Amino acid sequence: MSLQSDVEGLWQQYQNDEIDAASATVDELDTLDAFLDALEAGEVRAAEKTGSDVTSWEANEWVKQGILLNFGLRETLAREYGDVRYHDVLPLRDTADLGERGTRNTPDGTAIRRGAYLGSDCIMMSPSFVNIGAYIGDGTLVDSCDTVGSCAQIGADVKLGANTLIGGVLEPVEDAPVVIEDGAALGAGCRVTSGFRVGENSIVGENTLLTPRIPVYDLVDEEIYYGHLPANRRAFTRFVESSLGDHEMFESGAYKPAVVALDIEDDTLDATRREEALRE
């Protein structure tokens, strides 16, 4: 049997209340360990791109099922990592393989949970956190105070500015996670949540909130998009008039956040390249 079929079989038993953390066998837990190993090796991913456009990402349901099984079929235990004692169903990820691939994680606060993948030549600044099922491509920077949520798919050569939050998703299992495609750069303080997808090489201004509930006014295609930012855009937050309009509670009217997307200008790209020189 394949790893996928083993996980799907366990999931069916779990859904039918035929198995729980108290009754899980050594063989069943070994299957879950093999699944986590495959995630950490990048052999399986929580989502995959099925076409050429950023909107074509789809969740791998069985992978998300495997992650949920690791919570449902394991007991919470007291654990240690360095001098830190904590209680969780999973240990933190062993980082012994990172150095041989040129990936750096600075001390005193970089935490990578079991089941997360980091590519070659990545940089994790402290404090930062990468959750189970996340995938971080080669050459990507996870800056200080960043959180990469469960199952998030971060491409190669991505820059996550300081204090950036990449949301996670586990349920429902068919929902695609947050995706940041290759070459994208997010300014400090950005928030990307609820399965939003950022197209390759796009540059997002600091403190921008990207979520499917906030419209993206794309001035290149002259379209309003929800849930994704097309490739090769420069995006930033602006406020537009709310449907509430004039109201006695708002002396000058009510406004709501929106995102404006433009072509990437040469000077914006040049500034990004200069920042990349710090990583050499």
Side-chain angles (χ1 to χ4, degrees), residues 37-53:
D37 290 341
L39 279 174
E40 292 175 9
E43 296 169 356
V44 298
R45 296 177 63 168
E48 294 182 56
K49 193 174 185 179
T50 60
S52 59
D53 191 76

Side-chain angles (χ1 to χ4, degrees), residues 196-215:
F196 194 95
R197 290 153 290 177
V198 176
E200 61 184 12
N201 300 318
S202 285
I203 298 173
V204 181
E206 61 185 24
N207 296 316
T208 299
L209 173 60
L210 298 174
T211 181
R213 295 175 295 280
I214 292 179

Side-chain angles (χ1 to χ4, degrees), residues 120-216:
S120 300
D121 300 316
C122 295
I123 300 173
M124 278 190 66
M125 300 299 294
S126 61
S128 57
F129 176 71
V130 179
N131 207 347
I132 184 173
Y135 182 101
I136 297 178
D138 296 346
T140 286
L141 168 65
V142 179
D143 211 338
S144 298
C145 301
D146 288 352
T147 296
V148 180
S150 56
C151 299
Q153 303 294 294
I154 312 296
D157 301 314
V158 169
K159 180 182 182 297
L160 303 181
N163 197 31
T164 291
L165 170 66
I166 305 298
V169 61
L170 283 176
E171 297 184 282
V173 294
E174 67 271 11
D175 274 10
V178 170
V179 174
I180 313 294
E181 291 193 332
D182 296 353
L186 275 60
C190 286
R191 302 289 185 268
V192 189
T193 67
S194 303
F196 194 95
R197 290 153 290 177
V198 176
E200 61 184 12
N201 300 318
S202 285
I203 298 173
V204 181
E206 61 185 24
N207 296 316
T208 299
L209 173 60
L210 298 174
T211 181
R213 295 175 295 280
I214 292 179
V216 175

Side-chain angles (χ1 to χ4, degrees), residues 20-280:
D20 57 21
S23 62
T25 67
V26 171
D27 286 344
E28 289 162 344
L29 294 178
D30 284 346
T31 295
L32 298 185
D33 284 334
F35 168 76
L36 293 175
D37 290 341
L39 279 174
E40 292 175 9
E43 296 169 356
V44 298
R45 296 177 63 168
E48 294 182 56
K49 193 174 185 179
T50 60
S52 59
D53 191 76
V54 69
T55 60
S56 66
W57 284 83
E58 295 183 4
N60 283 327
E61 294 187 24
W62 77 271
V63 175
K64 295 177 73 176
Q65 291 169 356
I67 294 172
L68 290 169
L69 285 170
N70 271 280
F71 293 104
L73 299 184
R74 295 185 188 271
E75 303 279 2
T76 297
L77 301 175
R79 303 179 184 275
E80 292 187 8
Y81 197 85
D83 296 329
V84 177
R85 291 182 57 83
Y86 65 101
H87 293 77
D88 200 355
V89 294
L90 287 172
L92 295 182
R93 185 191 191 283
D94 186 347
T95 59
D97 64 311
L98 299 185
E100 64 191 27
R101 291 185 286 112
T103 287
R104 293 183 274 158
N105 59 317
T106 60
D108 295 331
T110 56
I112 310 170
R113 206 173 192 188
R114 188 87 161 85
Y117 171 82
L118 270 75
S120 300
D121 300 316
C122 295
I123 300 173
M124 278 190 66
M125 300 299 294
S126 61
S128 57
F129 176 71
V130 179
N131 207 347
I132 184 173
Y135 182 101
I136 297 178
D138 296 346
T140 286
L141 168 65
V142 179
D143 211 338
S144 298
C145 301
D146 288 352
T147 296
V148 180
S150 56
C151 299
Q153 303 294 294
I154 312 296
D157 301 314
V158 169
K159 180 182 182 297
L160 303 181
N163 197 31
T164 291
L165 170 66
I166 305 298
V169 61
L170 283 176
E171 297 184 282
V173 294
E174 67 271 11
D175 274 10
V178 170
V179 174
I180 313 294
E181 291 193 332
D182 296 353
L186 275 60
C190 286
R191 302 289 185 268
V192 189
T193 67
S194 303
F196 194 95
R197 290 153 290 177
V198 176
E200 61 184 12
N201 300 318
S202 285
I203 298 173
V204 181
E206 61 185 24
N207 296 316
T208 299
L209 173 60
L210 298 174
T211 181
R213 295 175 295 280
I214 292 179
V216 175
Y217 290 84
D218 184 22
L219 303 188
V220 179
D221 292 342
E222 297 188 352
E223 297 281 353
I224 300 175
Y225 296 117
Y226 287 87
H228 76 278
L229 174 67
N232 302 303
R233 298 294 193 270
R234 180 169 62 91
F236 49 89
T237 297
R238 285 293 182 268
F239 286 87
V240 298
E241 187 173 351
S242 168
S243 59
L244 290 175
D246 293 327
H247 192 280
E248 61 183 13
M249 293 184 67
F250 307 97
E251 292 184 2
S252 57
Y255 293 84
K256 62 184 179 181
V259 174
V260 176
L262 307 170
D263 270 321
I264 297 179
E265 299 175 357
D266 289 341
D267 57 351
T268 301
L269 289 173
D270 288 342
T272 302
R273 293 189 187 102
R274 286 195 295 272
E275 286 191 19
E276 288 299 312
L278 300 174
R279 296 161 52 86
E280 296 297 330

